[in-house]
Amino acid sequence: MSTYVYGITASAHPALPDGMGGVGDPARPVRVLKEGGLAAIVSDAPEGLRPKRKDLLAHQNVLAEAGSAGCVLPMRFGSVAPDDTAVTGVLAERAEHYQERLTALDGRIEYNIKANHVEEAVLHHVMAESPEIRALAEANRTSGGGSYEDKIRLGEMVAAAVKAKEAGDARALQEILEPAAEAVGVGPESTGWLANVSFLVDRHAAEDFLAAVERARKDLPHLEVRVNGPLPPYSFVETGPAEPAGSTAGGLGTGAG
């Protein structure tokens, strides 16, 4: 039976509630594997596991329960090892790395911030900031809409100005929030958001960070700013060990899924 891994923690971490269920239908019982000073939170891995809402929530719930009692290095959804022995072998092999990460992330949480432009508001900003765009728009208006070429040119100018403003606003947002965080992790650009940034925050400073978010919303009212968190520190767990031989669905790499 393959072993599904939810996260890695210290062997002295408080026990999870009896009978706690994880992924699968029926939910597989969650258990703990210990190796030296480390422990892995695991269950049997169901066949044909897919990222369905029920199982994604189950994965998150296990991490949330474990994280409420102490630091946990979260694994990606779908992290599966061939068996329990493979898991404890990785814990032994990478013990120094995992111990360092547990110490560094103890008492820390993650907030993921995503932002996009409010379309009408950003167009107003672009028009206000560019005399050239304003002049062409006015010329088109007074000439009954302008020629096809002028309309295309105006559209291209506006699109380029909005694109440039995206980069500037992403920097401005990060500059407002960064002082309230201990570390910053920038997400992939191809997400459909002008900003997709994760912030590592001391659990006791969460209110200060959320206050900074409200300041950003006030200072940058042409942005829609979304907050996801508090989360386990997915974005700040360095990549784990290479996949054990025969592992599937992502091996034992830690991080967001």
Side-chain angles (χ1 to χ4, degrees), residues 32-223:
V32 174
L33 302 176
K34 294 186 178 182
E35 175 63 35
L38 296 170
I41 302 168
V42 306
S43 68
D44 291 343
E47 295 290 337
L49 182 65
R50 296 292 182 268
K52 297 178 181 178
R53 177 176 173 79
K54 176 180 179 297
D55 288 318
L56 288 169
L57 288 175
H59 181 93
Q60 294 171 6
N61 288 341
V62 171
L63 286 172
E65 182 67 37
S68 68
C71 187
V72 177
L73 304 181
M75 307 297 288
R76 294 188 297 264
F77 175 85
S79 294
V80 178
D83 52 33
D84 289 1
T85 301
V87 176
T88 54
V90 170
L91 294 183
E93 177 186 350
R94 298 285 287 172
E96 184 177 353
H97 167 76
Y98 288 138
Q99 292 283 13
E100 184 277 330
R101 287 287 80 200
L102 284 167
T103 300
L105 297 177
D106 188 29
R108 275 69 177 176
I109 52 180
E110 175 177 335
Y111 284 95
N112 176 256
I113 304 296
K114 291 183 172 68
N116 252 336
H117 279 142
V118 178
E119 184 175 356
E120 184 175 342
V122 74
L123 289 176
H124 176 78
H125 275 261
V126 164
M127 294 291 288
E129 293 169 0
S130 173
E132 187 178 4
I133 291 177
R134 288 201 309 274
L136 181 55
E138 178 62 18
N140 285 357
R141 186 187 67 80
T142 57
S143 63
S147 67
Y148 174 78
E149 291 76 12
D150 285 340
K151 291 177 181 177
I152 293 296
R153 181 171 168 239
L154 178 60
E156 290 175 343
M157 290 172 64
V158 169
V162 169
K163 186 69 176 176
K165 193 160 184 60
E166 286 182 352
D169 285 337
R171 287 193 299 272
L173 177 64
Q174 185 169 326
E175 287 170 1
I176 293 171
L177 300 180
E178 196 166 347
E182 295 189 358
V184 179
V186 179
E189 294 182 2
S190 57
T191 60
W193 300 90
L194 68 83
N196 176 22
V197 188
S198 291
F199 296 86
L200 185 68
V201 177
D202 186 294
R203 189 181 297 274
H204 299 296
E207 290 187 7
D208 293 338
F209 179 79
L210 295 176
V213 172
E214 292 308 312
R215 286 197 300 273
R217 286 172 169 156
K218 181 179 179 180
D219 294 348
L220 303 167
H222 56 290
L223 292 186

